[in-house]
Amino acid sequence: MKYLKSDLRSADICVQSLKAGNIIIIPTDTVYGFSGIVDEQNNTDAKIRKIKGREETKPFIQLIAEPSDIKKYTDDVIPENILNLWPGPLTIIVKNKNSDVTTAYRCPDDEWLNHILKETGKPIYSTSANRSGHPILESIDEIENEFSDEVDVIIDDGDKKGGVASTIVSIENGSVKILRQGKIKIN
């Protein structure tokens, strides 16, 4: 079902759908993306992979509500100049607590989306709304035509022409390694 982002119920509809373990397509501060709550019980990771046709080895970004939330998931020290770029289109890859496994986190600069993140109480997966190997869909009509039968909710915030993906950095032993220059430029 499609709703306008400007609909006062849209955020609450997304929260209910995410908590039920469904996959939705929502606008972020970069591009439209598939989202599902990070919860092994609902296995939303596998659901998104099936829709997107994405290989098992490439993990999804996890969106968090507040910059300080990252401390719940990692003991890595993130330099202040990097952490101060949040909220915004910056993805930070860190080691998970007590593990060598890494996860990519982003704290979006969008009040509507951050409300959803706070209300779900957990991170949500985010990956661009397209089939793997195909261009990111920028038109809400294209997104609806392609995926309306495969997701529970689509939020319409108009077309996102020329949307730029987030910059991705990795934190390794306290230093920053730029993996992809995106919307935020880092030297």
Side-chain angles (χ1 to χ4, degrees), residues 153-166:
V153 172
I154 296 174
I155 299 297
D156 180 351
D157 191 31
D159 293 345
K160 297 272 186 197
K161 300 288 183 194
V164 178
S166 66

Side-chain angles (χ1 to χ4, degrees), residues 1-2 23-25 32 34 48-53 128-154:
M1 179 125 355
K2 183 169 91 170
I23 305 306
I24 63 175
I25 295 177
Y32 277 99
F34 291 109
I48 295 171
R49 286 181 191 290
K50 183 177 179 186
I51 295 168
K52 194 168 172 83
S128 57
N130 62 310
R131 306 276 183 203
S132 283
H134 292 87
I136 295 171
L137 297 178
E138 299 176 329
S139 160
I140 192 65
D141 290 336
E142 289 175 334
I143 290 168
E144 187 175 19
N145 289 338
E146 183 76 19
F147 298 113
S148 63
D149 292 340
E150 298 178 79
V151 297
D152 189 56
V153 172
I154 296 174

Side-chain angles (χ1 to χ4, degrees), residues 37-38 90 93 109 120 148 151 171 174:
I37 197 164
V38 176
L90 173 67
I93 300 173
D109 188 17
T120 59
S148 63
V151 297
I171 305 300

Side-chain angles (χ1 to χ4, degrees):
M1 179 125 355
K2 183 169 91 170
Y3 299 91
L4 292 173
K5 182 179 176 185
S6 61
D7 183 327
L8 296 177
R9 304 169 300 147
S10 66
D12 292 333
I13 289 166
C14 289
V15 169
Q16 291 170 358
S17 186
L18 289 166
K19 285 184 172 181
N22 297 318
I23 305 306
I24 63 175
I25 295 177
I26 57 176
T28 70
D29 54 342
T30 54
V31 297
Y32 277 99
F34 291 109
S35 288
I37 197 164
V38 176
D39 180 353
E40 290 181 22
Q41 188 175 21
N42 289 311
N43 205 14
T44 56
D45 180 276
K47 292 175 185 176
I48 295 171
R49 286 181 191 290
K50 183 177 179 186
I51 295 168
K52 194 168 172 83
R54 187 162 175 176
E55 60 194 55
E56 298 272 337
T57 58
K58 193 172 179 188
F60 297 125
I61 292 171
Q62 295 184 22
L63 301 180
I64 55 177
E66 299 285 342
S68 60
D69 287 349
I70 197 161
K71 293 176 184 171
K72 297 177 188 175
Y73 309 107
T74 187
D75 291 323
D76 283 352
V77 176
I78 301 166
E80 283 297 314
N81 66 319
I82 296 298
L83 199 54
N84 288 339
L85 296 172
W86 272 358
L90 173 67
T91 299
I92 302 173
I93 300 173
V94 293
K95 284 184 184 175
N96 297 335
K97 284 191 176 205
N98 305 313
S99 172
D100 283 334
V101 175
T102 60
T103 300
Y105 293 97
R106 192 158 76 78
C107 180
D109 188 17
D110 182 281
E111 188 176 316
W112 176 87
L113 181 51
N114 287 338
H115 171 77
I116 291 170
L117 291 163
K118 288 174 187 170
E119 291 299 311
T120 59
K122 293 184 178 185
I124 63 172
Y125 292 116
S126 182
T127 182
S128 57
N130 62 310
R131 306 276 183 203
S132 283
H134 292 87
I136 295 171
L137 297 178
E138 299 176 329
S139 160
I140 192 65
D141 290 336
E142 289 175 334
I143 290 168
E144 187 175 19
N145 289 338
E146 183 76 19
F147 298 113
S148 63
D149 292 340
E150 298 178 79
V151 297
D152 189 56
V153 172
I154 296 174
I155 299 297
D156 180 351
D157 191 31
D159 293 345
K160 297 272 186 197
K161 300 288 183 194
V164 178
S166 66
T167 298
I168 300 176
V169 300
S170 176
I171 305 300
E172 297 175 10
N173 300 320
S175 64
V176 178
K177 181 178 179 184
I178 300 167
L179 303 179
R180 176 179 77 193
Q181 286 283 6
K183 201 166 187 178
I184 289 180
K185 299 298 180 207
I186 298 176
N187 297 323

